[in-house]
Amino acid sequence: MVRTRLAPSPTGEDLHIGNLYTALINWVFAKQNNGKFIVRIEDTDRKRLIEGAEERILKTLKEFGLEYDEGPDVGGPYGPYRQSERLEIYKKHALELVEKGYAYFCFCSPERLQKIRKEQQKKGIIPPKYDRYCLKRYSKQEALEKFEKGEKAVIRLKIPEKSEISFVDEIRGKITFKSDLIDDQVLLKSDGFPTYHLAVVVDDYLMKITHVIRAEEWISSTPKHVLLYTAFGWELPKFIHLPILRNPDKSKLSKRKNPVWASWYLKEGFLPEAILNYLALMGWSHPEGKEKFSIEELVKIFDIKRIKTVGPVFDVQKLEWLNGEYLREAKSEKLKAKILEYYKKYHDLDLPEELVEKTIPLIRERVKKLSDYMFYCKFFFERPKKYQMDLSPFKDLIEKMKSALEKIPEHEWKAEKIGEVMVKLYESLPEEVKNNVSRSKFFMVLRVAITGQKITPPLNESMEILGREECIERLENVKFQMTNDKSMTKSK
């Protein structure tokens, strides 16, 4: 059975968007092969551990619909699924490697290690490596006795000299490293915690992971992992190293240039399905050239060997476009539900359902994110407190607008009628007024007086939804402010 895994470290605020990409590929590959997707928390870096990060990572995965079959909060047959709860397992395997001669104890102080590193750098030795002082000085038995007496030590992997280490990457082919360029990696630290290299190999084997799908930054570590599998006498899993997501300028995706936490995109109003769709296109393309497709379709047609290894560009503007396509194609009832859910969840707003439903036809073609809704529609829910243009020069004109609109009976208050009356009013204005106020400016004054904004959904339709009484009162409110507030200016 195919078994894939995601192994995030709770050392950041949340799940990195790059890790979400890795999770997606692991999840899809497992699903299309009727396999299992596992989440394992790699929390052995105790100094960088962030409280609550694990919970946020697991929550984010679930919010994106990437449900896992086994994990720290759902259990499974190969637990525990937190590395900090598996320390005795790692110690047992590290000592096994020492016994077999594939690893050894090192008692060197940090000061000594720093000294030999500096000496090698001065001599131009690149990369600097441990000099195997403890391996040469102590026999296996002497070192074991020192360790059992409680002397602080690490266990290092003994890299074979003057040899080549090769493995096959399923999308990159055969990759070979020279062993002389690889340092004797620490496997077990003096505090009893493993390094990534020992823990990942032991866990992947014991959890029966068949396909190790991870970012390409781990390619240089894979020779050490191959040596460990070989030392234990274990069969290698399939290795697949995914390309690292890049900024539009081709630099590595980082929080200095773009938001990198997956949950940020949800808070900004991106849909989980749109984000996953976009991530699927990172280094891979739909056989039919489609840019928009469901995750169910992705599971059916995805071919992991068609992933290109050149770093794909993660462009937030392109994601916005795709997200907008999802919103435009959503049925009105579904879009309404998403808007209501989004503003309740992320802004603690209980928007009136009926009013949201009325506005959807006006904003469907405009919004790219759910958060855009209130940018366009805030004025439906509250009267403007500020105005995006100075309305004081148009006091008489606004009075005329109000008077004209008051003549429309309640039962005739429709967008078409509102438009007709306003056009007629403009055309009836004296020529000297029209010379200073173009038709477009006339309607901009009306737009800002009613909404406070220069950019809104269609004005006549918006006024129809607001209602006759509300629109007239808003124009009266502008007049009131002009009488009592001489400082009405453009909002900043």
Side-chain angles (χ1 to χ4, degrees):
M1 175 189 285
V2 166
R3 289 174 61 84
T4 66
R5 52 73 169 170
L6 179 73
S9 298
T11 53
E13 293 177 26
D14 197 351
L15 188 70
H16 192 284
I17 196 73
N19 275 344
L20 181 63
Y21 169 59
T22 302
L24 172 65
I25 303 304
N26 275 277
W27 186 90
V28 168
F29 189 76
K31 291 298 176 187
Q32 68 179 184
N33 288 283
N34 297 312
K36 300 287 186 183
F37 172 54
I38 293 93
V39 171
R40 182 178 69 234
I41 299 297
E42 298 193 341
D43 59 348
T44 57
D45 189 346
R46 309 306 287 178
K47 291 181 180 178
R48 296 175 58 220
L49 209 62
I50 294 179
E51 186 177 352
E54 177 188 320
E55 292 75 13
R56 288 191 290 273
I57 287 169
L58 298 177
K59 179 185 177 185
T60 298
L61 283 171
K62 291 171 184 175
E63 286 180 328
F64 277 92
L66 300 181
E67 298 286 346
Y68 39 93
D69 301 290
E70 301 168 27
D73 57 339
V74 298
Y78 303 104
Y81 292 90
R82 290 185 191 90
Q83 288 186 338
S84 59
E85 298 171 4
R86 300 170 62 83
L87 300 186
E88 287 302 313
I89 296 172
Y90 306 131
K91 181 179 178 181
K92 171 180 172 292
H93 284 84
L95 291 175
E96 179 184 332
L97 291 174
V98 172
E99 178 61 30
K100 289 182 175 180
Y102 293 111
Y104 59 93
F105 290 103
C106 174
F107 301 93
C108 292
S109 66
E111 291 76 20
R112 182 181 184 277
L113 295 175
Q114 183 67 19
K115 181 182 177 183
I116 62 173
R117 176 176 288 271
K118 286 183 177 179
E119 288 175 353
Q120 290 182 10
Q121 287 174 337
K122 284 181 180 178
K123 294 176 181 178
I125 300 174
I126 299 175
K129 300 195 299 180
Y130 179 59
D131 61 1
R132 293 187 170 178
Y133 173 79
C134 292
L135 178 63
K136 298 168 186 173
R137 178 172 180 179
Y138 306 109
S139 68
K140 187 190 301 182
Q141 187 58 38
E142 288 173 335
L144 182 60
E145 288 175 0
K146 285 170 67 70
F147 178 73
E148 289 176 343
K149 287 178 182 178
E151 192 162 337
K152 290 186 72 171
V154 301
I155 294 179
R156 290 181 179 272
L157 177 63
K158 184 181 176 184
I159 303 291
E161 297 176 345
K162 294 180 172 53
S163 63
E164 291 186 338
I165 306 163
S166 299
F167 65 94
V168 175
D169 184 289
E170 296 298 303
I171 60 176
R172 299 167 189 269
K174 186 178 180 181
I175 300 175
T176 300
F177 286 82
K178 293 185 181 298
S179 66
D180 290 345
L181 298 176
I182 304 173
D183 195 9
D184 283 2
Q185 176 68 49
V186 173
L187 300 177
L188 195 70
K189 294 178 284 188
S190 59
D191 61 3
F193 278 82
T195 60
Y196 169 81
H197 307 282
L198 175 65
V200 73
V201 169
V202 170
D203 288 345
D204 282 346
Y205 176 75
L206 295 181
M207 294 180 183
K208 301 189 183 299
I209 302 302
T210 59
H211 293 73
V212 173
I213 305 173
R214 58 190 177 189
E216 67 181 15
E217 62 193 18
W218 297 109
I219 289 177
S220 61
S221 297
T222 306
K224 302 170 187 177
H225 304 167
V226 170
L227 290 175
L228 287 169
Y229 276 100
T230 303
F232 285 122
W234 297 339
E235 183 181 350
L236 290 176
K238 302 288 187 184
F239 290 109
I240 300 164
H241 291 91
L242 304 174
I244 293 176
L245 305 187
R246 303 282 174 181
N247 290 307
D249 64 1
K250 303 298 184 181
S251 62
K252 185 178 177 181
L253 202 64
S254 69
K255 58 186 177 183
R256 289 187 296 275
K257 294 188 176 181
N258 262 326
V260 297
W261 307 119
S263 59
W264 180 88
Y265 292 88
L266 297 179
K267 291 172 186 174
E268 281 295 300
F270 290 94
L271 302 177
E273 54 268 37
I275 298 170
L276 294 180
N277 183 162
Y278 185 62
L279 287 174
L281 293 168
M282 297 291 99
W284 177 87
S285 59
H286 192 288
E288 298 174 15
K290 291 183 184 178
E291 290 192 284
K292 181 177 179 292
F293 44 83
S294 68
I295 197 164
E296 291 79 15
E297 183 178 355
L298 178 63
V299 170
K300 290 179 183 176
I301 52 89
F302 182 73
D303 181 357
I304 202 164
K305 292 188 177 181
R306 289 187 60 241
I307 291 178
K308 295 176 183 176
T309 58
V310 178
V313 172
F314 184 86
D315 187 339
V316 177
Q317 288 187 333
K318 183 69 182 291
L319 173 59
E320 282 190 4
W321 169 81
L322 183 60
N323 199 72
E325 292 295 299
Y326 271 85
L327 294 177
R328 279 186 283 280
E329 293 178 19
K331 292 182 178 179
S332 294
E333 193 65 26
K334 184 177 180 181
L335 182 53
K336 177 185 74 174
K338 287 186 177 295
I339 291 170
L340 293 172
E341 179 187 10
Y342 170 77
Y343 280 97
K344 177 61 178 174
K345 182 174 182 178
Y346 294 108
H347 299 277
D348 197 27
L349 290 176
D350 287 303
L351 299 180
E353 185 174 338
E354 185 178 349
L355 184 50
V356 171
E357 186 173 349
K358 288 179 180 178
T359 61
I360 283 176
L362 307 188
I363 54 88
R364 180 189 294 278
E365 297 299 320
R366 288 171 165 77
V367 295
K368 293 181 179 179
K369 303 171 293 182
L370 293 172
S371 57
D372 291 343
Y373 177 78
M374 286 299 274
F375 170 80
Y376 289 109
C377 295
K378 185 179 180 180
F379 70 90
F380 283 111
F381 305 97
E382 59 179 61
R383 291 180 179 179
K385 296 181 177 65
K386 294 183 178 181
Y387 299 84
Q388 290 184 343
M389 67 181 290
D390 184 0
L391 295 176
S392 55
F394 306 102
K395 178 179 178 180
D396 293 340
L397 184 59
I398 292 172
E399 179 61 35
K400 286 183 172 66
M401 292 174 176
K402 184 172 81 71
S403 297
L405 291 171
E406 284 177 327
K407 294 174 183 176
I408 303 176
E410 182 71 44
H411 68 276
E412 291 184 23
W413 188 262
K414 302 293 181 185
E416 186 176 355
K417 182 67 173 178
I418 294 167
E420 288 175 3
V421 169
M422 289 295 97
V423 169
K424 187 175 180 181
L425 171 62
Y426 178 76
E427 291 176 346
S428 70
L429 294 174
E431 286 302 317
E432 61 267 23
V433 174
K434 287 194 282 188
N435 287 338
N436 293 315
V437 181
S438 65
R439 181 183 295 233
S440 62
K441 191 164 190 176
F442 173 89
F443 281 99
M444 180 59 73
V445 170
L446 178 60
R447 184 183 303 275
V448 174
I450 294 291
T451 71
Q453 304 169 198
K454 288 185 175 182
I455 301 174
T456 70
L459 178 59
N460 296 339
E461 286 78 359
S462 296
M463 291 175 67
E464 178 181 335
I465 292 172
L466 283 169
R468 178 181 182 275
E469 182 179 346
E470 177 65 21
C471 289
I472 291 170
E473 285 187 12
R474 288 191 181 199
L475 293 177
E476 183 69 36
N477 189 47
V478 173
K479 179 186 176 185
F480 174 82
Q481 288 191 32
M482 286 190 294
T483 303
N484 294 279
D485 183 1
K486 303 294 185 182
S487 64
M488 182 192 299
T489 56
K490 180 179 177 182
S491 62
K492 295 181 180 179

